[in-house]
Amino acid sequence: MKKNKMLMLVLSLLLVCGMFIGCGQKQQSTNTNDTDKKTLLIYCAAGVNKPMEGIAKEFEKKYGVKVQYTYANSSELISQMEVSKKGDLCVLASKEDYETANKKGLVLDRKDLVYHVPVIAVPKGNPAGIKTLNDFTKPGVKVILGDSKTSPLGKLASKLFQKQAIESQVKNNVVSTVTTVNEMVTFVSMKKADASIMWEDNALNASKSIDLVQIPKDQNLIKTVPIAALKSSKDKELCNKFISFALSDQAKSIFIKYNLKPIK
């Protein structure tokens, strides 16, 4: 009897130990899966944040890869990439920004995603009656622009006004400068400015509070938005997979939804 009791006790102890070991292995396996989930860090121009977020969601659904964005204007993004020496990809506001990053040895070959078309943005109803770039010089017109030293849109606006030989007159009407297009949208929507230069898609996406005036092609400076893998990335294959997805028909439909024109 004593032997049978001892045998039962030993078997019970073995069973309990086995259960704990099994639970531990299961927990360890779950933790390993969470840890092993891949992540892409992408530096992204603030002006295209909405479509890129949509593309990230679809990419994660398809490949199980988490996409983490950091948003700013292109000049700030390039500085971040240069200082941190971390990250996988960048989506910048123009080819010129890509060339700046390339000269600093930060990026690999680029692919072009969409056209970025500058327009004149005005509050709903266009209370100041802005019809052309020259109207930015009219007395009393309140102008808000991107910062000409740090903002790609600010630099672009400066070139547009130089092209018309009106930059100095426009400066007299500038009430504020900002670093991102999203700030410009907010200021114009709140009627704190009569006119601004911003991307067409941003103006269209805020169409409830903003009207836009097209700039004639011969006066305009249309840009393209590039994407490129960073030299700092440790997973170039995954970077290329994301680039291919960003160029796919599925991604193009997302860009179109947000009023951007994909490059064929």
Side-chain angles (χ1 to χ4, degrees):
M1 288 291 291
K2 288 182 179 180
K3 288 183 178 180
N4 287 340
K5 286 182 179 179
M6 285 294 292
L7 182 61
M8 290 296 291
L9 182 60
V10 171
L11 288 172
S12 297
L13 288 169
L14 288 172
L15 181 61
V16 171
C17 289
M19 289 172 65
F20 277 114
I21 292 169
C23 289
Q25 288 177 336
K26 186 176 181 181
Q27 183 66 38
Q28 185 179 11
S29 175
T30 302
N31 290 341
T32 300
N33 287 339
D34 289 341
T35 303
D36 286 350
K37 187 171 184 179
K38 292 184 176 180
T39 301
L40 283 173
L41 172 59
I42 303 178
Y43 298 88
C44 184
V48 290
N49 65 320
K50 290 183 179 179
M52 292 311 299
E53 282 173 5
I55 288 170
K57 286 178 184 177
E58 295 304 316
F59 186 78
E60 187 170 354
K61 281 182 193 176
K62 188 169 184 177
Y63 296 107
V65 176
K66 184 174 178 58
V67 177
Q68 179 184 341
Y69 287 114
T70 179
Y71 296 112
N73 69 55
S74 292
S75 298
E76 290 173 347
L77 293 175
I78 292 168
S79 294
Q80 290 175 28
M81 290 186 281
E82 190 174 18
V83 171
S84 71
K85 300 192 185 324
K86 292 180 180 178
D88 298 290
L89 297 118
C90 65
V91 179
L92 301 175
S94 69
K95 288 181 183 179
E96 289 83 357
D97 296 309
Y98 167 83
E99 290 303 330
T100 298
N102 193 33
K103 286 176 183 176
K104 292 177 179 289
L106 299 171
V107 291
L108 299 173
D109 292 343
R110 75 165 204 270
K111 296 289 184 181
D112 294 330
L113 294 175
V114 292
Y115 291 107
H116 237 179
V117 182
V119 296
I120 298 169
V122 298
K124 202 70 182 175
N126 194 3
I130 306 297
K131 297 178 180 179
T132 69
L133 289 172
N134 284 306
D135 289 336
F136 279 68
T137 67
K138 287 163 61 175
V141 170
K142 293 180 291 184
V143 175
I144 184 167
L145 297 172
D147 186 280
S148 61
K149 293 181 180 178
T150 61
S151 162
L153 262 176
K155 294 174 185 176
L156 185 144
S158 179
K159 290 178 182 176
L160 286 174
F161 297 136
Q162 286 173 20
K163 206 174 174 187
Q164 297 300 111
I166 58 172
E167 186 176 27
S168 59
Q169 296 99 303
V170 173
K171 282 183 179 179
N172 294 330
N173 286 341
V174 174
V175 294
S176 184
T177 58
V178 295
T179 59
T180 68
V181 65
N182 295 333
E183 292 172 286
M184 277 182 263
V185 169
T186 300
F187 272 88
V188 176
S189 297
M190 295 172 67
K191 298 184 177 180
K192 291 187 176 181
D194 297 312
S196 183
I197 299 291
M198 65 178 67
W199 303 120
E200 180 184 48
D201 55 292
N202 298 115
L204 288 171
N205 292 339
S207 60
K208 289 182 180 179
S209 54
I210 288 178
D211 286 338
L212 63 86
V213 178
Q214 295 288 350
I215 301 170
K217 283 187 177 181
D218 61 332
Q219 296 178 15
N220 211 345
L221 296 168
I222 296 171
K223 303 294 182 180
T224 56
V225 176
I227 185 171
L230 301 184
K231 290 183 179 179
S232 59
S233 178
K234 296 177 181 178
D235 197 336
K236 301 297 191 299
E237 184 177 343
L238 187 58
C239 288
N240 289 333
K241 186 175 284 188
F242 185 86
I243 290 172
S244 294
F245 187 77
L247 293 167
S248 69
D249 289 340
Q250 186 176 358
K252 285 177 181 176
S253 67
I254 295 172
F255 283 126
I256 291 168
K257 176 184 174 183
Y258 288 99
N259 298 302
L260 282 158
K261 298 177 176 67
I263 295 172
K264 295 179 181 179

